Amino acid sequence: LNPFFQAMESEISAAFDSGGPEDILSRAFKLTVTREDICTLQPLGWLNDRIMNFYMGLLVERSKKEGYPAVYAFNTFFYSKLSSTSHKGVKKWTKGVDIFEHDVILVPIHLRIHWTLLVVDLREKTIKYFDSLGQKGDHICKTVLKYLEEESREKRNIELTASEWTLHSMGTEEIPQQNNGSDCGVFVCKFADFISRDKPIIFTPEHMPYFRRKMVWEIIHQQLL
C-alpha cells in the first residue's frame, strides 16, 4: 500500500477504536457526527440517520462544482413526514429553495428497518426507486410525484403534467442487490453517489466493506474521494 492509503487506514481504524462514543469526529451541514455514529460504518453495522444525511450533504456539496449535475437532497425524515401528512406537512421544508432549479433530487427513505432511495431526474422527467432488496416502490413514486405537482403549483404557479412523467421501480436485474441484512444504507449512499455523477451503477455487494471504510474517511475529512 502506498503511504497515503496506509495513513488513511490508520485514521479509519482510529476513528473506530480510539476514544469515547460521544467524541465528535465531524461537523458540517448543521450535523455533528460522533464516534458512535461512525461505528455504524463498521462491517455489518446498520447506518443511522446522521451518517445518511451527512453523506447526502457531501454529495450536494460536490454537485456545486463544475461538470456535475445540480443535486438537491431531502433528509431522511422527509418521506415519512410527507407520507403521513401530505404536502401541507412538508411545504416549509423547502422555504427559500426552488427544488425545480436542480437536475436531480435525492430522497433517502427509511422504511422502519430498511433504507431505500428515490431519485427524481428533472431533466428526464423520471422518478426511479432503488431498493437493494428488490422490493417495488410504485406507491412511493406516486406519492412523490403528487408532492412535486403540489410544490410546483404552490411555489412556482406552474402545473406539472403528470402524464409526461415516467415512474419506475428498478428491477433486481437493473441494480446490484445486497447479500446480507445490514448493507442497505451503504447501497443507498452509493446509488446516490453514482447517480449524482451521472455514472452507470456498476458496483457489486463485494465492494461494500471497501465503501464503508472509504465513507469513514470522507465523512471525517468532509471530502469525497
Side-chain angles (χ1 to χ4, degrees):
L1 284 174
N2 73 31
F4 177 66
F5 282 110
Q6 282 172 327
M8 272 176 74
E9 275 301 324
S10 55
E11 258 187 288
I12 293 161
S13 301
F16 289 144
D17 299 325
S18 40
E22 298 308 309
D23 294 348
I24 291 169
L25 300 189
S26 199
R27 211 189 237 116
F29 321 119
K30 299 184 184 157
L31 293 167
T32 51
V33 174
T34 64
R35 191 178 312 280
E36 189 174 11
D37 299 322
I38 283 286
C39 282
T40 66
L41 284 161
Q42 286 180 306
L44 302 183
W46 205 83
L47 272 53
N48 66 14
D49 289 284
R50 225 176 266 180
I51 293 291
M52 301 294 288
N53 288 324
F54 202 96
Y55 195 79
M56 294 296 147
L58 290 174
L59 296 177
V60 168
E61 208 48 45
R62 179 179 66 191
S63 82
K64 294 171 185 171
K65 294 180 183 166
E66 209 173 316
Y68 289 94
V71 175
Y72 184 84
F74 281 105
N75 80 26
T76 53
F77 306 105
F78 169 78
Y79 181 77
S80 51
K81 182 80 173 163
L82 171 67
S83 57
S84 61
T85 65
S86 80
H87 182 266
K88 288 197 295 296
V90 293
K91 70 178 184 185
K92 287 194 177 133
W93 291 43
T94 51
K95 202 171 170 221
V97 178
D98 181 355
I99 59 173
F100 298 96
E101 285 178 352
H102 297 79
D103 298 318
V104 174
I105 300 170
L106 303 172
V107 188
I109 294 173
H110 188 192
L111 301 171
R112 290 200 288 284
I113 53 163
H114 184 48
W115 289 111
T116 65
L117 179 70
L118 182 136
V119 178
V120 180
D121 191 322
L122 291 158
R123 302 164 296 184
E124 309 276 339
K125 294 191 179 171
T126 61
I127 299 177
K128 290 181 179 171
Y129 183 71
F130 294 76
D131 185 337
S132 54
L133 285 177
Q135 294 156 350
K136 295 272 174 249
D138 298 351
H139 63 293
I140 297 176
C141 294
K142 284 179 187 147
T143 302
V144 171
L145 179 58
K146 190 166 188 297
Y147 164 80
L148 292 173
E149 290 177 80
E150 289 171 3
E151 180 79 356
S152 181
R153 192 176 302 132
E154 181 127 336
K155 296 278 174 73
R156 311 187 298 166
N157 216 4
I158 296 174
E159 292 291 330
L160 285 193
T161 311
S163 59
E164 292 176 353
W165 285 73
T166 306
L167 280 49
H168 177 60
S169 291
M170 302 297 277
T172 51
E173 69 296 334
E174 294 176 279
I175 54 170
Q177 301 288 292
Q178 65 193 87
N179 55 11
N180 59 34
S182 53
D183 277 341
C184 54
V186 187
F187 270 84
V188 164
C189 288
K190 297 319 286 185
F191 287 148
D193 170 27
F194 279 65
I195 290 159
S196 64
R197 291 182 284 142
D198 280 335
K199 295 291 184 220
I201 292 165
I202 50 168
F203 59 83
T204 69
E206 283 64 48
H207 290 99
M208 292 300 129
Y210 163 69
F211 284 155
R212 284 175 176 272
R213 294 184 79 77
K214 184 167 168 241
M215 283 173 71
V216 172
W217 192 94
E218 291 173 326
I219 288 168
I220 290 171
H221 289 272
Q222 297 165 28
Q223 179 194 342
L224 293 169
L225 289 167

